[in-house]
């Protein structure tokens, strides 16, 4: 809170406004349309939309800009990928990320989880396929391949847009996510050695070629060739990873129903990491379920984990 004397008020009127703070500038950013902006923890939580060339529809994503970013200071970027049924709003409203973005001085970018409104027959029929369930792959099947290219959207188009429009440090980026988004974070880091300095996940779908959610989405988006499926499976990708050391942090709720149903299979990821000598810490958190109550509880630990790599 600032209390103005008359002299200070005069100074405030004359002080320059960064282009990242100026609303008239942010509504005209390259290829981006501002949907909303709310001051939060000294920074701003914004939502933008844009016409995506990868997924051929209008996409939305959230950006949290800490105060320093609003002043134009270049900062690391923490990418967050959400899970099945989510839009960009779940992380914004439930994860408590803004306080941590401000504390650790990271820009946070969190996209929607799939293309939407593409007029594909059946796209809105189930919670675990189609809208809200892009599964972070590039589809090869005729019905879906025009739009369902979330892997390229996350690893190419979105980072390019972010670097063009915000004061990011392009070689200081980390990625994390929850459930389907944890799978997306792991495969994005494992398939692009050196691109992400840090990676972590909450209750990730760790071995999608062997669980019901993965089989449904991979079958639909990638067809029947399971060799293609393995290219998007973290447990498989760990075995062939050849890049700068990755130090993976995974949190998993022990009371997670989807763990009990065999959808997540984190033990398979851990076995694969052990065999491949990939550093990975999985913390089994007693009593926690799959929800954003679990995610928000441990989010600060994940920011601290990413800070070790993004700030050095
Ligand atoms: N049947 C449920 C399943 C949806 C669900 O639990 N989604 C999780 C992610 S699960 C794996 O990707 C989620 O994050 N939900 C949003 C939230 O805010 O909790 C259903 O349809 O509800």
């Amino acid at each position: 809170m600032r209390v103005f004397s008359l002299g200070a008020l005069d100074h405030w009127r004359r002080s320059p406004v960064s282009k990242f703070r100026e609303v008239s500038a942010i509504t005209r950013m390259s290829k981006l349309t501002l949907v909303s902006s709310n001051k939060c923890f000294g920074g701003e939580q914004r939502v933008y939309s844009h016409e995506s060339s990868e997924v051929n529809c209008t996409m939305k994503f959230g950006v949290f800009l800490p105060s320093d970013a609003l002043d134009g200071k270049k900062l690391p970027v923490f990418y967050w990928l959400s899970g099945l049924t989510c839009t960009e709003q779940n992380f914004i409203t439930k994860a408590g990320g803004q306080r941590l973005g401000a504390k650790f001085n990271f820009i946070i970018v969190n996209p929607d989880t799939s293309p939407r409104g593409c007029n594909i027959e059946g796209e809105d029929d189930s919670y675990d396929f189609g809208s809200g369930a892009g599964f972070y792959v590039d589809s090869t099947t005729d019905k879906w391949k025009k739009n369902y290219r979330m892997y390229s959207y996350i690893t190419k188009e979105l980072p390019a847009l972010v670097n063009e429009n915000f004061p990011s440090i392009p070689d200081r980026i980390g990625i994390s996510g929850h459930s389907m988004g944890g799978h997306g974070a792991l495969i994005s880091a494992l398939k692009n050695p050196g691109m992400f300095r840090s990676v972590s996940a909450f209750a990730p779908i760790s071995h999608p070629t062997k669980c019901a959610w993965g089989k449904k989405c991979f079958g639909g988006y990638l067809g029947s060739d399971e060799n293609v499926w393995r290219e998007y499976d973290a447990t498989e990708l760990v075995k062939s990873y050849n890049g700068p050391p990755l130090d993976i942090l995974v949190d998993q709720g022990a009371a997670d129903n989807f763990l009990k149903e065999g959808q997540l299979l984190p033990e398979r990821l851990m076995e694969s990491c052990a065999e491949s000598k990939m550093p990975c810490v999985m913390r089994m958190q007693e009593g926690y379920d799959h929800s954003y109550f679990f995610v928000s509880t441990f989010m600060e630990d994940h920011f601290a984990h990413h800070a070790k790599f993004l700030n050095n």
Side-chain angles (χ1 to χ4, degrees):
M1 184 177 72
R2 286 187 292 171
V3 180
F4 291 105
S5 66
L6 269 182
L9 191 58
D10 194 42
H11 168 78
W12 173 75
R13 284 198 187 107
R14 282 188 275 113
S15 58
V17 179
S18 152
K19 68 174 176 165
F20 297 102
R21 286 193 186 273
E22 197 181 12
V23 173
S24 60
I26 58 182
T27 53
R28 291 195 308 266
M29 292 170 103
S30 168
K31 301 175 193 155
L32 300 182
T33 301
L34 184 70
V35 175
S36 64
S37 181
N38 297 90
K39 185 163 184 177
C40 193
F41 290 100
E44 281 180 27
Q45 176 63 61
R46 297 182 187 166
V47 174
Y48 287 94
S49 68
H50 71 108
E51 297 309 311
S52 166
S53 56
E54 282 292 354
V55 301
N56 288 296
C57 68
T58 306
M59 289 293 283
K60 281 190 197 167
F61 63 91
V63 180
F64 174 73
L65 296 168
S67 178
D68 275 353
L70 295 174
D71 288 335
K73 184 177 177 196
K74 285 181 168 279
L75 297 180
V77 184
F78 176 89
Y79 284 87
W80 174 266
L81 305 182
S82 285
L84 294 168
T85 71
C86 292
T87 67
E88 82 291 341
Q89 288 297 321
N90 297 69
F91 176 83
I92 290 172
T93 56
K94 293 183 174 183
Q98 298 88 354
R99 181 181 71 80
L100 299 168
K103 176 175 173 176
F104 287 87
N105 230 5
F106 294 162
I107 295 170
I108 305 173
V109 175
N110 66 293
D112 198 353
T113 56
S114 76
R116 294 185 191 268
C118 299
N119 293 319
I120 305 171
E121 179 265 322
E123 69 186 331
D124 295 324
D125 286 359
S126 55
Y127 82 92
D128 56 358
F129 188 73
S131 299
F135 237 85
Y136 305 106
V137 301
D138 283 351
S139 173
T140 53
T141 52
D142 284 345
K143 188 169 168 184
W144 302 95
K145 68 183 181 189
K146 179 180 169 204
N147 303 102
Y148 277 67
R149 296 181 50 75
M150 286 300 288
Y151 173 71
S152 287
Y153 179 72
I154 296 301
T155 58
K156 297 190 187 99
E157 185 173 10
L158 186 60
L161 263 185
V162 167
N163 294 335
E164 193 183 340
N165 286 288
F166 303 102
S168 59
I169 306 176
D171 66 346
R172 287 181 187 261
I173 66 175
I175 191 161
S176 184
H178 171 226
S179 198
M180 175 183 75
H183 141 78
L186 291 170
I187 64 160
S188 295
L190 290 165
K191 284 167 75 67
N192 295 279
M195 179 175 177
F196 298 97
R197 281 198 188 198
S198 52
V199 60
S200 71
F202 293 79
I205 300 173
S206 299
H207 199 13
T209 57
K210 300 291 180 208
C211 75
W213 278 338
K215 287 178 186 176
K216 180 172 179 177
C217 282
F218 284 6
Y221 299 140
L222 301 174
S224 57
D225 184 352
E226 295 195 14
N227 289 319
V228 180
W229 296 14
R230 281 191 272 277
E231 291 169 26
Y232 293 102
D233 183 314
T235 295
E236 300 295 340
L237 289 168
V238 161
K239 296 174 190 167
S240 56
Y241 179 79
N242 185 14
L246 269 181
D247 197 339
I248 304 171
L249 173 64
V250 174
D251 269 309
Q252 173 63 59
D256 180 332
N257 282 338
F258 297 126
L259 177 69
K260 294 173 191 164
E261 288 173 15
Q263 295 282 21
L264 308 175
L265 303 172
E267 67 281 6
R268 307 310 301 271
L269 176 67
M270 292 306 292
E271 286 163 12
S272 193
C273 286
E275 279 165 27
S276 310
K277 302 200 173 1
M278 167 80 73
C280 182
V281 171
M282 186 185 70
R283 309 187 311 179
M284 190 59 79
Q285 305 288 5
E286 283 306 312
Y288 286 90
D289 61 19
H290 196 69
S291 69
Y292 266 85
F293 292 108
F294 154 67
V295 171
S296 60
T297 300
F298 299 104
M299 189 61 88
E300 183 154 6
D301 293 353
H302 285 243
F303 271 75
H305 174 76
H306 285 261
K308 282 190 288 184
F309 304 95
L310 298 182
N311 292 336
N312 290 308

